[in-house]
């Protein structure tokens, strides 16, 4: 399922097939955001929730690469997808002073972009999505931080999201259980469990 991108939109499954794009173009397609990040298990719900559908954004090297992919989608009538061309991304990161001030606040877990790992090549794309997202431990910790840093998005470990405009989103969703990030975390957990069983001679 993971290799075939079964948890992604049909357009992504088409684009990620090895033989549908010219070789040069295919090499410039890095893949969907959800596959390009490694998220610690404790942060899966927070990162998954705050990204939402953006976990299916496709990172590509250039605008021209995005254009070739879009033409492929049109040709096959495979829907619409969002692309993140690395040569066209513009975003504002936290400066060192602002970051230090935020990390001093009670209940702050960290800046989301710094809590996930990825290849250096796609780091700008991850930073553009998560560089201004603060992860906090619980709902009560988010409230004073939201008042002081109104320009940031805040997400709790259990998935409540405080948006800069004042909106708060919370509750449960069946979609989260089927999300690419959740499935990738489950795969990592199963791989670790299998490794342990093998070391114990149980497999």
């Amino acid at each position: 399922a993971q290799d075939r991108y079964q948890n992604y939109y049909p357009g992504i499954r088409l684009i990620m097939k090895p033989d549908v794009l010219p070789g040069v173009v295919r090499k410039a397609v890095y893949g969907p955001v959800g596959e390009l990040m490694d998220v610690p298990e404790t942060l899966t719900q927070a990162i998954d929730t705050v990204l939402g559908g953006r976990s299916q954004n496709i990172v590509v090297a250039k605008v021209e690469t995005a254009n070739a992919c879009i033409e492929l989608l049109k040709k096959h009538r495979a829907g619409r997808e969002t692309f993140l061309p690395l040569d066209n991304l513009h975003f504002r990161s936290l400066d060192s002073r602002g970051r230090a001030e935020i990390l001093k606040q009670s209940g702050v877990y960290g800046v989301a972009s710094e809590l996930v790992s990825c290849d250096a090549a796609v780091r700008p794309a991850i930073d553009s999505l998560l560089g201004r997202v603060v992860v906090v431990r619980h709902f009560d910790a988010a409230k004073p931080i939201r008042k002081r840093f109104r320009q940031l998005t805040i997400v709790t470990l259990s998935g409540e999201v405080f948006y800069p405009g004042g909106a708060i989103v919370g509750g449960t969703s069946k979609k989260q259980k089927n999300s690419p990030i959740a499935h990738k975390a489950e795969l990592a957990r199963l791989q670790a469990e299998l490794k342990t069983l093998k070391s114990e001679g149980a497999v």
Side-chain angles (χ1 to χ4, degrees), residues 186-201:
E186 177 70 3
L187 178 61
R189 186 188 67 78
L190 291 172
Q191 288 173 332
E193 186 176 326
L194 180 61
K195 185 177 180 180
T196 300
L197 290 171
K198 285 182 176 179
S199 68
E200 294 173 351

Side-chain angles (χ1 to χ4, degrees), residues 137-178:
R137 298 184 184 279
H138 46 74
F139 192 94
D140 289 338
K143 291 187 290 185
I145 296 169
R146 179 175 62 92
K147 291 180 180 178
R148 187 165 183 179
F149 302 96
R150 294 184 181 276
Q151 76 280 19
L152 302 178
T153 297
I154 302 166
V155 61
T156 69
L157 291 177
S158 57
E160 291 87 17
V161 184
F162 295 72
Y163 289 102
I168 302 173
V169 179
T172 59
S173 172
K174 291 181 180 179
K175 290 183 179 179
Q176 288 178 1
K177 296 179 181 179
N178 297 319

